[in-house]
Amino acid sequence: MLREIRIRGLGVIDDAVLELSDGLNVVTGETGAGKTMVVSGLGLLLGERSDAGRVRAGADQALVEGVVEVAPDHPAAVRALEAGADVEDVLIMSRSVSAAGRSRAHVGGRTAPVGLLAELGQHLVAVHGQADQWRLQRPEQHRIVLDRFGGEPVAVATKEYADLYDALERAESELATLTAAHRERVQRLDSLTASLEEIERVDPQSGEDESLAAEAERLTHADALRAGAGEAHTALVGDEDPVEGSAPAVLDLVSAARTALGSLTEHDSRLEELDARVRELGVLAADLGGDLASYVADIDVEPGRLDEVNDRRAAVTALLRKYGDSVDEVLAWSQAAALEAADLAGTDDRISALQQQVDDLTPRLAAAASALSECRASAARTLGDRVGEELAHLAMGSARVEVVVRQHEVDDGLRLPDGRTVRRAVHGVDEVEILLAANKGATPRTVAKAASGGELSRVMLALEVVTASGDLPTFVFDEVDAGVGGAAALDVGARLKALAEQAQVIVVTHLAQVAAYADRHLVVHKQDDGQITSSGVAAVSGAEREAELARMLGGVSDSKAALQHARELLRSTAG
């Protein structure tokens, strides 16, 4: 709640500090002293449009600072922290307007846009007076006021509706997305299916592209390979039918070398080692000869095998051109495509399931909407009666308040159990409007348009007292007592006092009957040196407060009768 407001250079106020308490804070003062500047200063602090004309004559700027006590989890504190402000138990907000019209805002020691002040203000303070009544001018606020008053029955019905609404919105959104993409999905599934069938017909095996390439190369050069291997075999082991003059075979030469060394190895160990190597060479030549013989035998080509290999390579190559650079990549693509195809094939089942879900949820949502409307209608009747009773105590006994709950019928909407098709929203199907007939015989109109500034403040006071909201820590009322006097003024004060038991209340008033209920009484006093008029603010108590109440009652503060009346008034409102 607001703990302190400092106003400097605004209107007639030179420099004033308002120290505020819990409960009911009343601001009084002579006409022209600058009481309205308190409300104007709050307006600036809460993000209202600035006006250089409000800057005090001769001053460079007008400055309003506010110290607000907030809990760490309060929405205003959370929003301020998000904006980078420093918040430690208190939030310091300020707004300055230069004589040239330039406006600046600071929140928690950081420069901030003026819009942030307005955001924070909606969580902190409700100002009711000639200024814009945002709580009654915004249609959704009428519903919020009613739902808050409706208590647990409305809260339970609202939650049931909201849960069904969210579930239906999700189902409809997914269904719309899947249905809209149906043609593309079918085309994609057909393409994947054809590709998978093509790969399945070829049935490539891992690494097959490389093995086919190697086999084709071997088959293409089979004659040359066979001839070369045969010549090598003959060179190693010799020909079965040698031709005269042909070169000796390697094995024959190795045998001759062994013979030449065989009788001499016992005379030299080194020669014995060389002989062993010659013997090893003979073994290797014999093994190699055998391997070459086997190779020559194996290279015999099966008739037509090369054509088969080339045909197989062509089929595999066709897959490689479409699905990967290797058979392994083709196989990996086919696995992924099979999963995608299965998912696409299952989409039709999902569409059917979603349609069934939508069909099931829609009548349930309609029933929940109807039940919520009934709860709201019941609460609306009670709220209208209660607010009317309060207004009777606020010098508006002829006023009649109606809280209307209606639905907007549309051609394509939610069909209610009674057959009507209405527009649905996240909060329900209802449009709530608080109507006021300020006088007997008057046609009820939306309260923001049917009431004058003072009447509107009293309607808001009645609403706040009846709903005992507690959602805002501070309420400010200006001209709530306009056109009120006598016993009715005492009722206004009593209602303000009742609201102050739930929240901090700041009231600008000219009625002693209202001021007498104050927990803290602040007086705006005017000083005039003959050339410049300035005002300041001071808290009064005891004899000073009695004198201020006497002034408000009789126009003078030192009249014995007025002072006695003030004391009696204080006694009657005490406790």
Side-chain angles (χ1 to χ4, degrees), residues 525-543:
H525 51 82
K526 181 171 61 175
Q527 297 175 341
D528 190 342
D529 63 2
Q531 294 181 336
I532 299 177
T533 299
S534 64
S535 297
V537 180
V540 295
S541 60

Side-chain angles (χ1 to χ4, degrees), residues 62-77:
L63 175 67
V64 184
E65 294 179 327
V67 179
V68 186
E69 187 178 88
V70 290
D73 58 349
H74 190 276

Side-chain angles (χ1 to χ4, degrees), residues 97 135 257 377 451 551 564:
V97 180
R135 289 196 128 195
R551 181 198 65 75
Q564 182 59 33

Side-chain angles (χ1 to χ4, degrees), residues 64-151:
V64 184
E65 294 179 327
V67 179
V68 186
E69 187 178 88
V70 290
D73 58 349
H74 190 276
V78 173
R79 180 66 186 92
L81 286 170
E82 290 175 351
D86 183 16
V87 183
E88 293 184 3
D89 298 330
V90 295
L91 176 62
I92 299 177
M93 305 161 58
S94 69
R95 175 85 176 278
S96 64
V97 180
S98 70
R102 186 175 182 181
S103 175
R104 290 184 176 179
H106 290 80
V107 176
R110 298 288 184 90
T111 301
V114 173
L116 179 59
L117 292 180
E119 285 186 58
L120 298 177
Q122 292 192 10
H123 295 298
L124 295 170
V125 182
V127 179
H128 304 304
Q130 293 287 7
D132 290 345
Q133 303 286 331
W134 67 269
R135 289 196 128 195
L136 290 183
Q137 288 188 337
R138 292 165 56 184
E140 69 271 17
Q141 288 297 321
H142 294 218
R143 175 183 52 77
I144 292 173
V145 168
L146 175 61
D147 285 357
R148 186 178 63 235
F149 175 78

Side-chain angles (χ1 to χ4, degrees), residues 541-562:
S541 60
E544 290 181 337
R545 187 182 183 200
E546 291 175 1
E548 173 63 10
L549 291 176
R551 181 198 65 75
M552 298 173 73
L553 288 166
V556 293
S557 60
D558 56 356
S559 166
K560 290 184 179 181

Side-chain angles (χ1 to χ4, degrees), residues 475-552:
F475 295 91
V476 179
F477 291 91
D478 185 23
E479 296 195 13
V480 69
D481 51 12
V484 176
L490 284 171
D491 283 338
V492 171
R495 264 55 190 177
L496 288 166
K497 183 70 172 180
L499 179 59
E501 293 177 0
Q502 305 291 332
Q504 183 187 48
V505 179
I506 302 171
V507 181
V508 177
T509 183
H510 65 279
L511 293 180
Q513 292 92 331
V514 173
Y517 282 94
D519 295 301
R520 179 178 288 268
H521 190 156
L522 301 167
V523 179
V524 181
H525 51 82
K526 181 171 61 175
Q527 297 175 341
D528 190 342
D529 63 2
Q531 294 181 336
I532 299 177
T533 299
S534 64
S535 297
V537 180
V540 295
S541 60
E544 290 181 337
R545 187 182 183 200
E546 291 175 1
E548 173 63 10
L549 291 176
R551 181 198 65 75
M552 298 173 73

